[in-house]
Amino acid sequence: MFSLSSPPFQLLCCLIVLFILPLPSRSADPDPLQDFCVADLNSSVSVNGFPCKPAEQVVSDDFFFDGLRKEGNTSNIFGATVTSANVFTFAGLNTLGLSTNRVDFAPGGINPPHSHPRASETGVVIVGKLLVGFVTGDNVFHSKVLSPGEMFVIPRGLVHFQLNVGEGKALAFTSFNSHFPGVVISSTSLFGSTPSIPNAVLTKAFQVGDDVINGIRSKFGS
Ligand SMILES: *[C@@H]1O[C@H](CO)[C@@H](O)[C@H](O)[C@H]1NC(C)=O
Ligand SMILES: *[C@@H]1O[C@H](CO)[C@@H](O)[C@H](O)[C@H]1NC(C)=O
């Protein structure tokens, strides 16, 4: 037997504490192990992220991106469009745990309820007035109308939206702690998947008849 203050007991406590402490969960994507790793999007090697372009082929342009300059085309059913600067469009972001979207809204346009499986999000309104809202895991709805210069944050994975409630167009920029946050749009993932989710699932889940489900499906091409 050893006492509570004996070295073996203290060592045992240390080991137990180390193993039960939660692993750090503040960052979404893993930290980079080198200064940069400009993505080689053509590589056939499959890793968590993309392989790095050989350093001698890296050029300054790999670290700059002008794809967010242009206003997006909002002629779609939602009246809003997202233009993404993520690792697929801006290879310099590879492994850095960062990306940015530009979101353009026609009057009345909505970035419909959706979630990002791999990132928390911050956003800043540049033009117009947006109603921004999200629902927590406890089903609490948080929302606010934001004007230019005002910001929001959406915790990782929670369903959220932005609705243009101003008179004219609106514009926001959003940032993510992932080089590819991913997106799951609630309406299109439930009613526009390929192949379709069976009606038996959706009628029961939403407590409505086939007619309602088929009506919604028809809007999302499924
Ligand atoms: C991928 O291949 C295309 C065509 O061969 C080339 O133009 C492009 O620069 C390559 N991209 C990268 C990131 O190496
Ligand atoms: C915007 O998208 C719509 C629908 O796809 C298309 O008909 C229209 O030509 C586009 N407008 C511009 C300016 O590209």
Side-chain angles (χ1 to χ4, degrees), residues 17-29:
V17 166
L18 274 181
F19 280 106
I20 62 175
L21 273 179
L23 290 170
S25 57
R26 67 203 146 66
S27 63
D29 288 3

Side-chain angles (χ1 to χ4, degrees), residues 19 31-33 35 57 59 63 100 104-105 108 132 154 171 204 221:
F19 280 106
D31 280 340
L33 302 178
D35 277 1
Q57 290 173 23
V59 294
F63 302 105
T100 297
D104 287 285
F105 300 83
V132 179
I154 309 293
L171 169 65
K204 190 83 174 168

Side-chain angles (χ1 to χ4, degrees), residues 42-183:
N42 294 338
S43 171
S44 57
V45 178
S46 177
V47 295
N48 187 17
F50 288 96
C52 314
K53 239 170 117 166
E56 65 277 10
Q57 290 173 23
V58 169
V59 294
S60 293
D61 275 351
D62 287 325
F63 302 105
F64 301 93
F65 181 68
D66 66 3
L68 301 188
R69 277 172 49 183
K70 272 206 334 212
E71 184 176 340
N73 183 344
T74 57
S75 302
N76 56 55
I77 56 170
F78 297 124
T81 197
V82 174
T83 310
S84 293
N86 60 38
V87 67
F88 287 96
T89 54
F90 184 6
L93 294 174
N94 192 39
T95 76
L96 298 182
L98 292 167
S99 56
T100 297
N101 283 349
R102 169 186 180 127
V103 194
D104 287 285
F105 300 83
I110 188 169
N111 188 6
H114 64 280
S115 63
H116 303 287
R118 290 180 295 278
S120 294
E121 167 179 352
T122 59
V124 58
V125 177
I126 307 297
V127 175
K129 235 176 210 186
L130 291 178
L131 169 67
V132 179
F134 70 94
V135 179
T136 68
D138 301 332
N139 257 354
V140 178
F141 176 53
H142 296 287
S143 71
K144 189 169 182 178
V145 173
L146 300 183
S147 296
E150 298 180 336
M151 280 190 75
F152 62 86
V153 62
I154 309 293
R156 178 175 175 173
L158 299 185
V159 172
H160 60 285
F161 65 84
Q162 297 106 26
L163 174 67
N164 182 359
V165 293
E167 301 284 314
K169 293 175 179 179
L171 169 65
F173 282 86
T174 56
S175 297
F176 303 88
N177 60 342
S178 166
H179 71 189
F180 185 55
V183 62

